[in-house]
């Protein structure tokens, strides 16, 4: 029974991946707005209803795997070790994702990952949803910081927590953008890796240590 269930789950996962890959190829070839869900279903040899069973909307064909990681920042902070700062926790998580060649930060060697990013940049509606997704992740992080302070019975300053969350999220976003830029230029993930480890140290170091010494006019 367990083996049969596992087989069903693998088939569902494979079908989902196949539908999404076909959809992305069509979007890249013709433009997101020019492709109907019915055409994706035909190309994938499934019904239109099957597409919607796996993906709730046309935009979900692009965003569903990404949005599974909306809570990554909050999770890194929630699960950090005693004595570890919020910035250090997110830095550590990012390094782990780099080492794992995690697609959620653009480190997958699969060319589909690059195509998705290029598609988003070329499609205003998708770009808008990307901003909303990023804002949601930052909001979840801020809520985590506020809840933790409240649990320690200190007086949580929500404005400070939101400021901290935005700085941490912006640091990680800048690193994601650098990965995507390099991948679009044709650099491989193994080539990018050591550079990004060094850059992450600098970027998160700015947040950890403050910006007081940065960009002082000489």
């Amino acid at each position: 029974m367990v083996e049969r269930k596992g087989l069903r789950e693998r088939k569902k996962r494979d079908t989902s991946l196949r539908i999404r890959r076909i959809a992305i190829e069509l979007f890249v070839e013709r433009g997101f707005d020019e492709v109907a869900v019915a055409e994706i279903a035909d190309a994938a040899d499934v019904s239109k209803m099957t597409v919607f069973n796996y993906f709730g909307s046309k935009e979900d064909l692009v965003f569903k795997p990404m949005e599974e990681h909306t809570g990554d920042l909050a999770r890194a902070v929630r699960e950090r070790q005693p004595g570890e700062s919020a910035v250090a926790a997110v830095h550590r998580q990012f390094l782990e994702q780099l080492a794992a060649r995690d697609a959620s930060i653009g480190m997958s060697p699969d060319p589909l990952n690059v195509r998705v990013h290029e598609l988003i940049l070329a499609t205003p509606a998708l770009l808008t949803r990307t901003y909303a997704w990023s804002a949601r992740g930052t909001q979840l992080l801020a809520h985590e910081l506020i809840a933790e302070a409240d649990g320690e019975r200190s007086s949580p300053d929500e404005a400070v927590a939101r400021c901290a969350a935005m700085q941490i999220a912006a640091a990680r976003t800048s690193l994601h953008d650098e990965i995507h830029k390099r991948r679009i230029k044709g650099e491989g993930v193994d080539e990018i890796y050591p550079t990004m480890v060094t850059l992450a140290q600098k970027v998160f170091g700015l947040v950890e240590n403050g910006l007081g010494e940065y960009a002082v006019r000489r």
Side-chain angles (χ1 to χ4, degrees), residues 10-213:
R10 285 195 298 274
K11 285 184 176 179
K12 287 173 63 177
R13 183 179 64 249
D14 291 345
T15 300
S16 175
L17 289 172
R18 182 167 58 85
I19 292 171
R20 182 173 186 262
R21 183 175 292 276
I22 288 170
I24 297 300
E25 296 291 354
L26 289 172
F27 293 154
V28 169
E29 179 184 344
R30 293 167 46 197
F32 179 80
D33 295 326
E34 304 304 317
V35 179
V37 173
E39 295 176 90
I40 296 167
D42 287 343
D45 196 25
V46 298
S47 69
K48 184 177 176 180
M49 184 58 68
T50 297
V51 175
F52 283 122
N53 284 340
Y54 283 98
F55 302 92
S57 70
K58 184 178 167 183
E59 287 187 355
D60 284 345
L61 285 156
V62 177
F63 285 101
K64 186 176 180 181
M66 295 167 55
E67 291 180 345
E68 291 174 353
H69 294 272
T70 306
D72 278 4
L73 287 170
R75 177 172 56 81
V77 170
R78 184 168 56 252
E79 297 177 357
R80 74 190 188 282
Q81 299 299 312
E84 186 176 37
S85 73
V87 179
V90 174
H91 185 185
R92 176 173 51 78
Q93 181 190 68
F94 182 77
L95 292 179
E96 290 169 355
Q97 291 171 324
L98 277 177
R101 305 300 191 262
D102 195 321
S104 71
I105 61 169
M107 281 295 284
S108 169
D110 189 341
L112 184 71
N113 196 269
V114 178
R115 294 192 189 104
V116 168
H117 189 68
E118 291 179 311
L119 174 68
I120 290 171
L121 292 177
T123 312
L126 298 180
L127 203 53
T128 297
R129 181 157 168 175
T130 301
Y131 294 144
W133 167 65
S134 179
R136 176 59 178 160
T138 303
Q139 183 182 50
L140 290 173
L141 174 57
H143 288 169
E144 188 67 35
L145 294 172
I146 292 167
E148 182 174 290
D150 190 44
E152 293 175 354
R153 297 186 179 180
S154 60
S155 177
D157 190 326
E158 295 190 12
V160 172
R162 286 196 298 272
C163 178
M166 285 189 282
Q167 290 187 60
I168 293 170
R172 196 183 67 162
T173 297
S174 71
L175 294 168
H176 289 190
D177 288 347
E178 182 66 18
I179 291 171
H180 289 305
K181 183 180 75 173
R182 289 172 177 268
R183 292 288 288 125
I184 287 172
K185 286 169 59 179
E187 296 182 42
V189 293
D190 292 336
E191 181 182 1
I192 289 170
Y193 177 74
T195 302
M196 293 309 304
V197 170
T198 301
L199 186 59
Q201 182 66 45
K202 293 179 181 178
V203 169
F204 285 113
L206 280 176
V207 182
E208 186 80 67
N209 300 314
L211 298 174
E213 298 300 319

